[in-house]
Amino acid sequence: MGAYLGIDTSNYTTSVALLDGEHILQRKKLLPVREGELGLRQSDAVFEHTRQLPALLEECCREAPSARLAAVGFSARPRDQEGSYMPCFLAGESAARSVAAACHITAYSFSHQAGHIAAALYSTGNMQLFESPFICFHFSGGTTDCLLVSPDAGRVFSVELLAASLDLKAGQAVDRVGRMLGLPFPAGAALSALAEQSGQEYRVRLTFRGDDVSLSGVENRCETMLRSGAAAPDIARFCLEHICEAASRMTENALRRCGELPLIYAGGVMCSSYIRPRLSAKYGGAFADPAFSSDNAAGLAVLAMVKELK
């Protein structure tokens, strides 16, 4: 069996992964974001990916000189929903298709979200779930999604959106509150560490429309707390408690709707040292290792392997 290359160029990270047998090699680099800003314009993201990708590919190939590529998987769009598009993924698609053409192998196109799901299955040792339905949560800078994932012969798996945020996404809330508190971007790890220092207890009230949640009020209330002189750890805890509650309500609604299916938690927000143990204590479920939770290409390499071997 050959090796499988994954390439992901999200709005946060340039990422390359090489899956060779049971070993996976990951190399990734955050896009450079100026202090105080919350991301890049798409044109700047495409430029930075184009600049960073060659070195990451060279490093992977240098560390696995005997690997012989069988297929390439790349992210071409944020999600599988119709109309999902971001220019930043063009950089990864260009590199993947060029590598595939030079090596006379197939380049498989997937969504960034599909890559997160596959990386979570690989990381948690649940590869058997490629063959059966499960509930997956993808909480990141661009998504607050509860998904029903089912096997699909054409796309490896199909994804049905069960619930989402109506406005602000979980990762956006984390980064915006982090900026208020002077934390580096992305703010997830620092905000989680700060929240652990708080001894406050908060009664969380969230607005739901059906199964979908509104998170926009969290940012406003954190701003009010800051102006009122609240301590930074308390503001951090207040923010993350709301995300925990959103995930909890979505979990309960999904289990009621779909039955007792396996639960998988993916995406950068779900590797929070504050959120993860609280959800795990309530619902169990499997959480992707932090190295496979933040934006990464590992899932694209896994998907390429599954697709190639079908």
Side-chain angles (χ1 to χ4, degrees), residues 131-142:
E131 304 299 329
S132 61
F134 60 96
I135 296 166
C136 184
F137 295 83
H138 180 205
F139 278 32
S140 69

Side-chain angles (χ1 to χ4, degrees), residues 22-41:
E22 295 183 358
H23 177 69
I24 196 159
L25 174 67
Q26 286 199 78
R27 289 294 176 266
K28 49 188 171 179
K29 188 173 182 180
L30 286 170
L31 299 182
V33 176
R34 291 177 183 172
E35 187 175 348
E37 295 187 0
L38 295 175
L40 294 174
R41 293 179 301 179

Side-chain angles (χ1 to χ4, degrees), residues 70-75 96 106-110 300 303-305 307-309:
V72 183
F74 65 93
S75 52
T106 304
Y108 293 106
S109 169
F110 303 100
L300 284 313
L303 286 168
M305 178 189 71
K307 183 74 174 174
E308 184 75 3
L309 297 180

